[in-house]
Amino acid sequence: MINRNFRRRAAAIAIAVIAAGLAGCTLGPDFKPPPAPAVAGDRYTPTPLPPLTDAAPGTGGAAQRFAWGEEIPAQWWSVFRSPPLDQLIRAALAQNPTMAAADAALRQAQENYNAQAGGLVYPQVNGQAGAARQKAAASAPGAESSVFNLYNASVSVFYTPDVFGATRRALEGARAVVEYQRYQIEATYLALSANVVTTAIRQASLRAQLQATREVLDALGRQLGVIEKQFEYGAIPRTTVLSQRNQLAQIAATVAPLEKALAQSTHQLSVLAGRLPGEGGMPAFTLESLALPERLPVSLPSALVRQRPDIRASEALLHQASALIGVATAAQYPQFTLSGASGVASPSFGSLFDSNSSVWNLAAGLTAPIYNGGALKARRRAAEAAYDAAAAQYRATLLTAFQNVADSLRALDADAAALKSQAEAEALAAETLALAEQQYQLGGISYLVLLDAQRNYQQTHIALVQAQAARYADTAALFQALGGGWWNRER
């Protein structure tokens, strides 16, 4: 019976202090997400884009149509229809340490919030038990001092009612930090997948440039054989042979840098996938193995602010700054504390739980700022300035996001036209070189004319490969600029 009454008194005290903190107001501004910028229709650029890009023959030359307002797939890289690319990205998302670090940062923020909520929202209940042996001083001259034992056990409750909303604002800010870390994960997810795609495209481009360079070297080598025979028969001077060899050596010198860049791209793919470069086993991407999507979903400007993870992360920081204004405002008002304890105390352990051994107390306190040299007002002004800084940073992030989309859209249109022109130039250069080789063998033109034709074809052929790769890279850049479709991913 005594133990039951002891527990009831402790519970009653806890309920009383909780009830005392339920009422109260919340000072400071209530956060509202910034509205999407006012943009007319689907305009990311000053002038409208054509509905369809130019087309060109060969790899990467398909015309692409802009599908305004169409949803972006969650696995946006699937538009390239490359199983090796899909497998590599999945491996990177599962094994890359940057993703693991972002996930750990989110867990840390969540647990920090839980710890803060546990310390602020709920009463702090502590149990205490003790035993002491004491000697008391004599009460009168000549009297003997007394020695006695003291046993006690108690439960104490301490609570700070959130009368002016300081706790609510502090937890609001902590939740905003959790949201920030959640969007940081999405930003890392998007950046990692985009890095894998662009690195794969760069590898495919380098492989194509290397192949094109070797094809030019083979052609120049065959031409050198013809020139050397002509020299042997005395038909041409030695300077012509040396010039051809010099041309061949200059182009051959470009092979090693291409091979180095190709190896480095493979190493980067390994690291992105969370593997050591020496492990090997990386897929060998070619432009022909990647499909160029002919339909490009483009989010409307009004939706971009809810889709870009960097914008959402910046908004979360703005929310936190708003909540901290409330915390600084509430600090200017009185703070209340409630406490209570219930327990037992007795000079002997055997009588510790007797009815006449019970003790209890209830207390309330108030602390109000009277004079602090303007420190509290200064802290509130500092919180407001921090909010203004966060708002400016949000605006900068927003502008950069819209620029990314505008740049990507213009690049898609311009690079499609560039590829069309480059394909025409390469075809004309190839035809000119074939004709020049025939004329030179028949003695119709000089060697210098042939050399110019060879150089022109070599340059246009490499430029064609680069223009083809740019179409794929532009497509990946657009999906990254639009946020990558993370909101359509199953949770």
Side-chain angles (χ1 to χ4, degrees):
M1 179 64 70
I2 299 300
N3 290 336
R4 186 181 299 112
N5 291 335
F6 175 74
R7 290 194 297 269
R8 285 176 179 173
R9 287 195 300 270
I13 293 173
I15 293 173
V17 295
I18 291 174
L22 292 179
C25 60
T26 304
L27 299 176
D30 292 329
F31 179 75
K32 294 181 180 179
V39 179
D42 54 10
R43 292 277 291 276
Y44 282 101
T45 55
T47 56
L49 289 162
L52 198 67
T53 67
D54 287 330
T59 302
Q64 293 179 301
R65 180 178 298 278
F66 299 115
W68 296 97
E70 194 169 292
E71 277 293 334
I72 299 172
Q75 282 75 40
W76 59 270
W77 55 86
S78 62
V79 299
F80 295 105
R81 298 200 295 274
S82 171
L85 180 62
D86 181 75
Q87 293 174 5
L88 187 60
I89 291 178
R90 291 180 186 276
L93 295 174
Q95 303 172 17
N96 187 277
T98 305
M99 281 299 302
D103 183 70
L106 174 60
R107 297 198 312 272
Q108 178 187 11
Q110 184 65 59
E111 294 305 329
N112 284 337
Y113 170 80
N114 293 339
Q116 192 169 357
L120 296 176
V121 174
Y122 303 103
Q124 301 303 302
V125 182
N126 298 299
Q128 182 179 2
R133 183 171 177 82
Q134 300 182 16
K135 179 180 180 181
S139 59
E144 294 184 0
S145 59
S146 59
V147 177
F148 63 94
N149 298 326
L150 179 64
Y151 300 91
N152 66 80
S154 64
V155 173
S156 61
V157 181
F158 182 85
Y159 185 58
T160 302
D162 190 22
V163 178
F164 297 105
T167 295
R168 290 189 287 274
R169 290 304 189 194
L171 293 179
E172 181 184 347
R175 283 194 299 270
V177 173
V178 175
E179 287 299 298
Y180 169 78
Q181 292 297 344
R182 183 171 289 114
Y183 291 120
Q184 284 295 91
I185 284 184
E186 298 300 344
T188 303
Y189 182 102
L190 175 60
L192 179 59
S193 58
N195 283 339
V196 173
V197 172
T198 54
T199 304
I201 293 172
R202 184 167 67 253
Q203 185 194 75
S205 173
L206 290 168
R207 185 168 280 110
Q209 292 178 54
L210 193 57
Q211 180 181 351
T213 302
R214 286 169 175 163
E215 290 174 356
V216 171
L217 287 175
D218 289 342
L220 291 177
R222 291 192 298 270
Q223 185 66 32
L224 177 60
V226 173
I227 292 175
E228 287 177 340
K229 287 187 178 298
Q230 290 177 335
F231 172 70
E232 290 176 2
Y233 294 132
I236 57 174
R238 179 171 174 77
T239 55
T240 301
V241 178
L242 295 177
S243 297
Q244 181 69 11
R245 289 177 178 174
N246 180 57
Q247 171 80 347
L248 189 64
Q250 288 180 357
I251 297 177
T254 65
V255 172
L258 288 173
E259 290 178 336
K260 180 185 73 173
L262 179 60
Q264 290 174 340
S265 68
T266 303
H267 300 163
Q268 185 176 357
L269 284 177
S270 296
V271 172
L272 290 172
R275 301 168 58 180
L276 295 173
E279 293 183 38
M282 286 292 102
F285 294 101
T286 63
L287 293 178
E288 291 76 15
S289 68
L290 302 172
L292 186 71
E294 298 182 14
R295 189 174 184 86
L296 295 175
V298 183
S299 304
L300 296 178
S302 58
L304 186 66
V305 295
R306 312 312 300 168
Q307 295 177 180
R308 285 270 299 218
D310 56 342
I311 295 179
R312 298 296 295 273
S314 184
E315 180 186 310
L317 293 180
L318 184 63
H319 190 176
Q320 181 197 25
S322 173
L324 292 179
I325 294 177
V327 173
T329 303
Q332 297 177 285
Y333 289 79
Q335 296 181 359
F336 299 86
T337 58
L338 298 172
S339 62
S342 176
V344 291
S346 174
S348 65
F349 186 79
S351 61
L352 184 62
F353 295 102
D354 290 349
S355 59
N356 59 355
S357 299
S358 64
V359 294
W360 60 269
N361 69 74
L362 288 173
L366 181 147
T367 302
I370 296 176
Y371 177 76
N372 49 56
L376 296 180
K377 291 183 179 179
R379 289 193 184 101
R380 189 181 192 280
R381 291 194 298 269
E384 291 172 343
Y387 178 86
D388 292 339
Q393 185 58 50
Y394 174 86
R395 178 67 176 170
T397 303
L398 183 74
L399 292 174
T400 301
F402 274 75
Q403 179 189 353
N404 293 157
V405 178
D407 290 347
S408 299
L409 292 172
R410 281 300 178 192
L412 283 161
D413 182 49
D415 287 345
L419 177 58
K420 180 181 179 181
S421 300
Q422 194 61 51
E424 293 174 356
E426 196 268 352
L428 291 173
E431 185 177 353
T432 300
L433 177 58
L435 182 61
E437 288 175 344
Q438 293 177 359
Q439 291 177 335
Y440 179 76
Q441 291 176 3
L442 297 174
I445 60 173
S446 68
Y447 173 72
L448 291 178
V449 175
L450 174 62
L451 195 61
D452 286 339
Q454 290 173 339
R455 289 173 179 170
N456 185 52
Y457 173 72
Q458 187 265 343
Q459 293 172 352
T460 56
H461 192 43
I462 300 298
L464 175 64
V465 171
Q466 294 171 339
Q468 290 171 337
R471 296 292 308 279
Y472 294 93
D474 292 342
T475 300
L478 176 64
F479 280 102
Q480 183 178 13
L482 293 172
W486 59 269
W487 56 93
N488 291 322
R489 191 167 65 246
E490 293 183 3
R491 301 292 174 174

